[in-house]
Amino acid sequence: MAKCRIVILISGRGSNMEALIEACTRSDFPAEIVGVISNRKDAGGLIYAADRKIPVEVLDHRAFENREDFEASLTSLLENMKVDLVCLAGFMRLLTDSFVSRWLDKLINIHPSLLPSFKGLDTHARALASGVRIAGCSVHFVRADMDSGPIIAQAAVPVFTNDTQESLAARVLAAEHKLYPHALELVASGQARAVGERVIIDNDDPVDTQLFAPATRSYTT
Ligand code: GAR
């Protein structure tokens, strides 16, 4: 069966992008990365992708008059790449309703919290301040409201008394790197799909529940 054609959008470091690229090197993985697009030319992830001979593009949002013009160019680029599914991986631009509608259910995102808690920025600081004992990350289909949309998969990690924003972020990031390839595999294989505001998963696999096992202390930095 033809592989699902993926474009990854980044704005910075790109460690989740690396995890997706790595997963796609598996011959039985149902997706292939056909491009990486960054809205910042200094995004660290661009070097990693280019080194792996993945076509990279920079689309600097500051070069456009407004959000609509930027997104029109982004849509043309994506269409030229014949993309089936777009993965946001630390892509720090809000997207308009019309862009999200154009790519409805073809746009997924990772966020470093157990949504619907702690949407937006400073996620880990707010999680620590709130006193939650479990944190985590979510991969979801994108809807117009920030960090919202049908949830595909989530992973949980513990919060320890001595955690700082940095130690919690590192523990969650390690979980993100496992969760995003898992969620992409579910969607690219057709096993998971959005139905209304929920995701239906065919033959939910008990192995998936490993993602919910509390991380050991070896995750801490
Ligand atoms: C990740 O933690 C990702 O979940 C977060 O940005 C980081 C990007 O790191 N995304 C959001 O907060 C989206 N709202 P990376 O560039 O190393 O993948």
Side-chain angles (χ1 to χ4, degrees):
M1 211 174 86
K3 294 198 178 211
C4 183
R5 294 171 62 84
I6 308 295
V7 171
I8 306 173
L9 303 192
I10 62 170
S11 296
R13 176 179 57 185
S15 69
N16 278 290
M17 174 208 74
E18 287 184 27
L20 296 179
I21 291 173
E22 180 60 29
C24 287
T25 60
R26 261 176 47 201
S27 61
D28 63 341
F29 199 80
E32 60 179 326
I33 310 296
V34 297
V36 169
I37 303 174
S38 171
N39 65 312
R40 301 182 59 101
K41 69 172 183 331
D42 57 353
L46 288 170
I47 296 167
Y48 181 95
D51 280 352
R52 274 148 194 83
K53 310 274 182 283
I54 294 171
V56 297
E57 297 277 355
V58 175
L59 199 60
D60 186 345
H61 60 277
R62 292 167 305 186
F64 294 86
E65 287 260 303
N66 52 46
R67 225 173 259 280
E68 287 72 20
D69 289 355
F70 167 68
E71 290 179 354
S73 283
L74 184 53
T75 287
S76 312
L77 260 182
L78 293 170
E79 286 173 348
N80 288 342
M81 290 170 161
K82 299 197 186 334
V83 67
D84 296 313
L85 186 72
V86 181
C87 294
L88 307 183
F91 183 67
M92 299 314 225
R93 298 296 300 163
L94 290 176
L95 298 167
T96 65
D97 288 11
S98 76
F99 184 85
V100 171
S101 299
R102 163 66 186 83
W103 296 100
L104 189 71
D105 295 342
K106 295 181 185 321
L107 197 54
I108 67 177
N109 180 46
I110 188 158
H111 184 71
S113 76
L114 291 173
L115 292 172
S117 295
F118 309 121
K119 297 175 178 180
L121 298 174
D122 298 324
T123 318
H124 303 299
R126 287 182 292 125
L128 288 175
S130 75
V132 293
R133 309 308 312 207
I134 296 181
C137 48
S138 309
V139 178
H140 62 97
F141 285 104
V142 173
R143 295 293 183 260
D145 290 337
M146 181 185 57
D147 298 324
S148 73
I151 293 169
I152 301 158
Q154 294 184 302
V157 301
V159 178
F160 298 125
T161 302
N162 293 334
D163 266 328
T164 60
Q165 281 185 61
E166 291 71 27
S167 65
L168 181 57
R171 192 175 310 117
V172 172
L173 191 67
E176 291 183 52
H177 296 159
K178 291 185 191 165
L179 185 71
Y180 211 170
H182 167 72
L184 174 58
E185 187 166 13
L186 288 177
V187 175
S189 65
Q191 204 188 332
R193 61 202 167 277
V195 176
E197 291 314 299
R198 293 189 61 211
V199 169
I200 303 295
I201 300 180
D202 297 331
N203 310 318
D204 259 356
D205 186 340
V207 168
D208 296 348
T209 58
Q210 285 176 10
L211 291 164
F212 294 85
T216 61
R217 280 178 186 269
S218 63
Y219 273 104
T220 53
T221 53

